Amino acid sequence: MSASAGPPPGRRALHTRACELFGVRYPIVQTGMGWVAGARLTAATSAAGGLGIIASATMTCAELERAIREVKARTDNPFGVNLRADQPDIDDRITLLIREGVRVASFAQAPRRETIARLKDAGVVTMPTVGARRHAEKVAEWGVDAVIAQGAEGGGHTGSVPTSLLLPQVVDAVDIPVLGAGGFTDGRGLVAALAWGADGIAMGTRFLLTRESTVPELIKQIYLSKTVNDTVVTKAIDGYPQRVIRTEVVDELERSSVLTRLPRAVRNALAFRRLTRTSYRDLLREGLAMKRNQDLTWSQLVMAANAPMLIRATLVDGRPEVGILPTGQGIGVIEDLPSVAELIERIMAEAGRVLATLTG
């Protein structure tokens, strides 16, 4: 091959528009998992060449500021912060991201047009997660820079369309970089996502099960013991479809009525308020914003406020008997706890081998 011919096709394919947009080496994103994606995991991902994302929804603004500065102390590489668009202090958080030079702002739900415009004006990449083609079209029209398209195999809140059908639909609908999420764990999955037209993959559960993840070892071993059939999508936690590991706690929630779940939900919602130092006034404002933006009933609203404490019980406190375990269906094919650097290098090496085989 002549010097002017450029790098091999496989190497070119693995350096995508997402790499250019985020300023990273590899098209791999570690998603902003609440209670999991703190400074340590985020910094490890970005240092290894991917895009790490801090989960800020379970942090106060002051805690987020400390996490951002800790990541910056650990690596000079770009990273992101995941935000909830309906938080009362969202404007303060965006000011913080802009001031600290955070590269990417990701959102689990669509941010407002004015939020997108403010971030773009400051040079911050805006990337919401979508679960339907029409949602991708809407946020692309509003000016977002990229989207994560999460299929039904994904963990936490998820839709009903499999990744293999959703991802090509979204790619065809928009002309911005698309990251595939839901069921991705290895290099073969990365190549599959590229074949569907995506610019990379975003993974949550696979990064939860790494050595830098702060999830207690007991909980990690529970995850590793499960098969692809040991998860369930339930509305009993907060009224929205959410994929979790099937446990006695989840079964109990599904058997109970809304009326019997509500008292427990109220207690946990108030506990979360104390933990995040949210005033009753801000709690009410946040609740009204969630109710308006997500069209929730009052009972759904209380359950939504309850969910963070159920997740914290397992992922932070290590108490599976009282909490829930969000997970992607890919849990059934994960068998080890590598370091983040080992995981990313393994994925990229496997993707390179697969591409080399396909291209001869």
Side-chain angles (χ1 to χ4, degrees):
M1 183 173 65
S2 67
S4 60
R11 190 178 304 171
R12 288 200 302 270
L14 293 173
H15 188 83
T16 69
R17 291 186 299 169
C19 298
E20 295 294 328
L21 180 64
F22 304 146
V24 300
R25 186 177 180 188
Y26 302 131
I28 297 174
V29 174
Q30 162 250 305
T31 59
M33 299 165 281
W35 304 118
V36 177
R40 188 168 81 173
L41 182 59
T42 300
T45 304
S46 289
L51 179 74
I53 297 180
I54 298 171
S56 78
T58 52
M59 297 178 179
T60 65
C61 202
E63 289 169 340
L64 174 57
E65 182 172 5
R66 289 194 294 271
I68 289 172
R69 293 185 176 174
E70 184 178 342
V71 173
K72 292 169 72 173
R74 289 171 177 253
T75 180
D76 294 328
N77 291 346
F79 64 96
V81 171
N82 181 256
L83 301 161
R84 259 188 45 208
D86 53 9
Q87 286 185 287
D89 61 352
I90 184 64
D91 291 333
D92 294 335
R93 292 173 185 249
I94 290 173
T95 297
L96 173 63
L97 265 61
I98 294 170
R99 187 182 73 230
E100 294 294 328
V102 173
R103 179 64 178 163
V104 177
S106 75
F107 293 85
Q109 296 158 337
R112 296 173 300 174
R113 284 177 183 258
E114 52 267 35
T115 299
I116 296 169
R118 185 182 174 200
L119 288 164
K120 286 180 70 71
D121 288 345
V124 181
V125 172
T126 308
M127 180 174 64
T129 295
V130 299
R133 173 176 179 152
R134 67 183 184 279
H135 298 156
E137 291 171 334
K138 180 178 74 173
V139 294
E141 180 185 342
W142 289 0
V144 302
D145 301 290
V147 294
I148 295 175
Q150 178 177 305
E153 300 94 322
H157 293 110
T158 191
S160 59
V161 181
T163 303
S164 59
L165 299 178
L166 174 67
L167 190 50
Q169 276 193 320
V170 172
V171 167
D172 290 344
V174 300
D175 59 4
I176 55 177
V178 177
L179 285 298
F184 295 108
T185 62
D186 58 18
R188 293 172 298 176
L190 173 55
V191 174
L194 298 177
W196 284 319
D199 291 278
I201 55 174
M203 302 184 298
T205 306
R206 177 63 273 197
F207 279 105
L208 183 153
L209 292 170
T210 58
R211 292 205 291 272
E212 287 86 352
S213 164
T214 56
V215 172
E217 289 302 311
L218 166 67
I219 302 301
K220 289 179 180 178
Q221 292 304 317
I222 292 175
Y223 275 89
L224 290 176
S225 70
K226 301 303 178 181
T227 73
V228 292
N229 295 316
D230 288 330
T231 72
V232 62
V233 176
T234 177
K235 291 185 178 181
I237 297 166
D238 60 6
Y240 278 91
Q242 187 168 1
R243 185 178 294 281
V244 296
I245 290 175
R246 177 148 226 152
T247 63
E248 290 183 10
V249 174
V250 173
D251 287 342
E252 180 185 342
L253 286 172
E254 290 207 305
R255 286 194 301 267
S256 62
S257 69
V258 172
L259 288 178
T260 57
R261 290 198 298 264
L262 279 179
R264 177 181 180 179
V266 170
R267 289 195 300 272
N268 280 333
L270 293 177
F272 186 61
R273 180 198 69 82
R274 291 191 295 272
L275 195 67
T276 56
R277 303 181 185 92
T278 303
S279 69
Y280 283 106
R281 180 180 178 182
D282 282 346
L283 187 67
L284 179 61
R285 285 175 52 206
E286 182 176 352
L288 290 173
M290 289 175 64
K291 189 175 191 300
R292 180 176 62 252
N293 297 337
Q294 302 177 41
D295 193 27
L296 300 179
T297 66
W298 285 109
S299 60
Q300 286 176 322
L301 180 61
V302 175
M303 293 302 294
N306 158 62
M309 294 306 288
L310 291 176
I311 297 171
R312 187 185 192 279
T314 52
L315 301 187
V316 177
D317 301 334
R319 301 181 61 198
E321 75 279 5
V322 296
I324 60 172
L325 295 150
T327 186
Q329 201 166 12
I331 187 63
V333 298
I334 297 174
E335 299 177 344
D336 61 353
L337 296 170
S339 71
V340 166
E342 290 168 349
L343 174 64
I344 290 178
E345 290 297 330
R346 186 166 77 193
I347 290 173
M348 296 306 299
E350 183 179 34
R353 290 193 299 270
V354 171
L355 283 170
T357 300
L358 292 174
T359 58

